[in-house]
Amino acid sequence: MSEPLWERTLKVTTAEQTHALAAALGEVLEAGDLLVLTGELGAGKTTFTQGLGEGLGVRAGIISPTFVLVRIHPNLPDGPRPGGPDLVHVDAYRLDSAAEIDDIDLENTMDTAVTVVEWGRDRVEHLSDSRLEVELHRAVGGGGTAAANRTDEVLDFDTDDDDEPRTIVLRGIGPRWADAPRLLDAAGQPDTAGQPDTANEGHI
Ligand SMILES: Nc1ncnc2c1ncn2[C@@H]1O[C@H](COP(=O)(O)OP(=O)(O)OP(=O)(O)O)[C@@H](O)[C@H]1O
Ligand SMILES: [Mg+2]
């Protein structure tokens, strides 16, 4: 199944809000979940993953994996979800194809971990019949409108630590996410951005 069952757009204004949103999601994710993160350089994919890690209660130290393609962050017995899933954090930026993804054997860890893949689009969809797509956009207003911001992005490269607005689009694909709007509400993330719920509307 590849068509989204639902899509939800959230807006945040600070890195801390991105982190908090992901942490809330991390509290309700389960072993076997696959998250595919998309967004330009510096959009906040790693910031989001750090939040997930906090919510999941896994070992800290989540960074952009740059040279290491995969990092496993074990669940902490004294964290908020003892016995819960580990976090497998992948950066697929340098991987050109699904075949290269297969070389790193994510199947081995998927059953016991939440697998999060930065730059995963078109590379990891075959790993599971379900996935949660997370798109982070610097342009407020949603996907596909970032072109006008690209020049700013380059000029702003050194000021990456400044808080900026982001639009975060969540899209559920496959049976695991059929009930996910409810799951997101359970995570305390209803339509905080004032956006209409686009559940069941399909993709853009
Ligand atoms: N609203 C926001 N959400 C997330 N990050 C933000 C926000 N505003 C500012 N930032 C900053 O933007 C940067 C995002 O960097 P991060 O490493 O998370 O991006 P990335 O998408 O993983 O980049 P890369 O493609 O290089 O892996 C951080 O320095 C963060 O503090
Ligand atoms: Mg990153």
Side-chain angles (χ1 to χ4, degrees):
M1 187 185 299
S2 58
E3 290 301 303
L5 299 171
W6 53 268
E7 176 179 302
R8 184 171 290 196
T9 301
L10 303 166
K11 290 183 178 163
V12 295
T13 53
T14 66
E16 179 50 36
Q17 283 177 11
T18 299
H19 184 102
L21 189 156
L25 185 61
E27 289 174 15
V28 294
L29 291 177
E30 294 169 3
D33 288 347
L34 174 66
L35 274 66
V36 180
L37 270 50
T38 306
E40 58 266 43
L41 285 169
K45 301 179 294 296
T46 299
T47 303
F48 188 93
T49 308
Q50 288 165 342
L52 286 176
E54 183 183 305
L56 283 165
V58 299
R59 192 168 68 200
I62 292 169
I63 55 170
S64 266
T66 317
F67 294 109
V68 180
L69 298 177
V70 189
R71 281 176 198 270
I72 301 177
H73 297 266
N75 187 276
L76 297 170
D78 56 351
R81 294 187 60 184
D86 302 329
L87 174 66
V88 172
H89 182 202
V90 185
D91 192 327
Y93 185 69
R94 288 181 181 72
L95 300 180
D96 286 333
S97 65
E100 286 185 11
I101 285 282
D102 287 343
D103 286 345
I104 58 178
D105 262 348
L106 293 174
E107 287 88 347
N108 281 339
T109 50
M110 278 203 68
D111 286 351
T112 52
V114 169
T115 303
V116 179
V117 189
E118 295 191 34
W119 301 101
R121 179 171 288 169
D122 297 331
R123 295 177 170 108
V124 298
E125 286 81 358
H126 62 290
L127 291 175
S128 171
D129 63 351
S130 299
R131 65 184 182 273
L132 183 66
E133 293 184 351
V134 180
E135 280 183 16
L136 294 113
H137 299 284
R138 282 185 150 163
V140 175
T145 57
N149 272 29
R150 288 211 177 111
T151 313
D152 295 344
E153 186 190 326
V154 174
L155 294 175
D156 284 352
F157 203 75
D158 289 337
T159 60
D160 253 359
D161 284 339
D162 294 342
D163 285 324
E164 297 168 335
R166 297 284 193 266
T167 300
I168 302 177
V169 182
L170 302 174
R171 225 175 266 131
I173 292 128
R176 156 65 174 127
W177 305 107
D179 223 10
R182 228 170 62 192
L183 179 148
L184 293 176
D185 291 344
Q189 295 299 330
D191 297 310
T192 46
Q195 287 284 23
D197 189 353
T198 56
N200 303 321
E201 269 183 26
H203 61 102
I204 326 172

